[in-house]
């Protein structure tokens, strides 16, 4: 089954897309914002991403850049923006195709089929799901971390935190977001959990955990992964 990740904050459009895609036997995940999109892209490994450029939490072009840090998944941009600047920026950031709203469902489906066909026609190059740094490498598919030639054992919680951070390189991820993603919304005041787990991750990954090079704290705000 071809899996499509729909990234769109307009619930009516999401509903229309989900109904139409499911009717044609696509598997569909939907994300209402960029942060959810990046998390779902890593977790669900979609075959195609349909991406609205105007999202509530981040610019669509930044979502594209973040995805392109680790995946070659075809990205079909949906945008109400008519300007060619945005179109060029989206394509430069690594989008594969662009469709301007309002569009007909038939045209969208044709573009989607073309995007899938292009990847099927492409030579079998392994998907890049590796995050490589000078000190460690992370295989997002195999959920494996290697440092100094040895496997690093991470707990599921540590892995979940690390995955969110490294799939958003350079971006501040708020404490609240991490707590909600990893521990559920009811735990969103427990910032001490985060400190403990981030300290563990640094001990496992950083050469100098007291002066982290990769897992950066933004005091009072959250954390950021620097690749
Ligand atoms: Ca929008």
């Amino acid at each position: 089954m071809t899996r499509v990740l729909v990234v769109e904050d307009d619930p009516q459009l999401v509903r229309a897309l989900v109904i139409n895609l499911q009717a044609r036997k696509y598997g569909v995940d939907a994300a209402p914002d960029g942060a959810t999109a990046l998390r779902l892209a890593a977790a669900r490994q979609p075959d195609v991403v349909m991406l609205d450029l105007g999202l509530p939490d981040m610019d669509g072009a930044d979502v594209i850049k973040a995805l392109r840090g680790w995946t070659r998944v075809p990205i079909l941009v949906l945008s109400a923006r008519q300007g060619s600047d945005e179109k060029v920026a989206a394509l430069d950031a690594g989008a594969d195709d662009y469709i301007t709203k309002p569009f007909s469902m038939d045209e969208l489906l044709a573009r989607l089929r073309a995007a899938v066909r292009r990847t099927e026609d492409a030579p079998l190059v392994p998907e890049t799901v590796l995050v490589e740094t000078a000190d460690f490498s992370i295989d997002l598919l195999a959920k494996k971390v290697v440092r100094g030639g040895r496997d690093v054992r991470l707990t599921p919680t540590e892995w979940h935190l690390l995955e969110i951070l490294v799939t958003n390189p350079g971006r501040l991820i708020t404490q609240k977001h991490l707590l909600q993603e990893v521990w559920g919304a009811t735990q969103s005041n427990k910032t001490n959990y985060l400190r403990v787990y981030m300290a563990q991750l640094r001990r496992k990954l950083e050469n100098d955990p007291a002066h982290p090079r990769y897992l950066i704290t933004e005091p009072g705000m959250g954390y950021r992964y620097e690749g």
Side-chain angles (χ1 to χ4, degrees), residues 34-111:
T36 309
L38 294 174
R39 183 174 57 78
L40 283 179
R44 308 281 286 167
Q45 304 285 326
D47 300 296
V48 181
V49 175
M50 282 187 187
L51 174 72
D52 175 30
L53 283 188
L55 294 170
D57 61 335
M58 58 195 284
D59 194 79
D62 292 330
V63 176
I64 298 169
K65 284 178 204 155
L67 286 172
R68 284 293 174 253
W70 61 275
T71 177
R72 298 170 58 237
V73 65
I75 300 172
L76 174 54
V77 163
L78 318 174
S79 179
R81 303 178 193 182
Q82 301 285 347
S84 70
D85 285 357
E86 285 88 354
K87 185 172 177 173
V88 169
L91 294 172
D92 276 350
D96 297 275
D97 198 1
Y98 190 101
I99 187 166
T100 303
K101 296 178 192 172
F103 47 78
S104 77
M105 201 53 75
D106 283 346
E107 183 183 0
L108 181 74
L109 291 165
R111 302 276 194 103

Side-chain angles (χ1 to χ4, degrees), residues 114-225:
V116 173
R117 216 162 37 233
R118 278 197 296 276
T119 51
E120 284 169 350
D121 293 346
L124 268 179
V125 178
E127 182 108 352
T128 311
V129 289
L130 279 181
V131 175
E132 305 245 32
T133 73
D135 296 311
F136 55 85
S137 66
I138 303 169
D139 184 330
L140 291 166
L141 255 192
K143 302 201 176 207
K144 244 172 93 103
V145 181
V146 175
R147 179 172 175 229
R150 291 187 187 176
D151 285 357
V152 178
R153 298 174 78 96
L154 297 184
T155 67
T157 301
E158 289 166 355
W159 174 262
H160 197 165
L161 276 174
L162 184 64
E163 185 180 53
I164 293 169
L165 289 166
V166 302
T167 53
N168 291 276
R171 264 177 56 79
L172 166 70
I173 310 295
T174 63
Q175 294 174 345
K176 183 163 174 268
H177 180 79
L178 288 169
L179 285 164
Q180 285 181 345
E181 286 296 324
V182 178
W183 285 276
T186 57
Q187 303 291 339
S188 62
N189 56 341
K190 306 236 166 126
T191 52
N192 57 320
Y193 285 19
L194 264 179
R195 276 197 295 278
V196 169
Y197 278 91
M198 290 302 294
Q200 282 175 204
L201 273 175
R202 285 181 180 134
R203 273 197 296 277
K204 292 180 178 184
L205 298 177
E206 298 273 0
N207 286 335
D208 182 358
H211 301 94
R213 149 82 180 79
Y214 302 101
L215 301 169
I216 312 295
T217 301
E218 298 284 357
M221 297 170 73
Y223 297 89
R224 187 161 49 82
Y225 168 73

Side-chain angles (χ1 to χ4, degrees), residues 4-24:
V4 183
L5 173 59
V6 173
V7 188
E8 169 62 63
D9 60 328
D10 172 351
Q12 280 183 317
L13 181 53
V14 171
R15 197 174 135 72
L17 288 169
V18 169
I19 289 170
N20 275 280
L21 291 168
Q22 286 181 341
R24 287 161 183 86

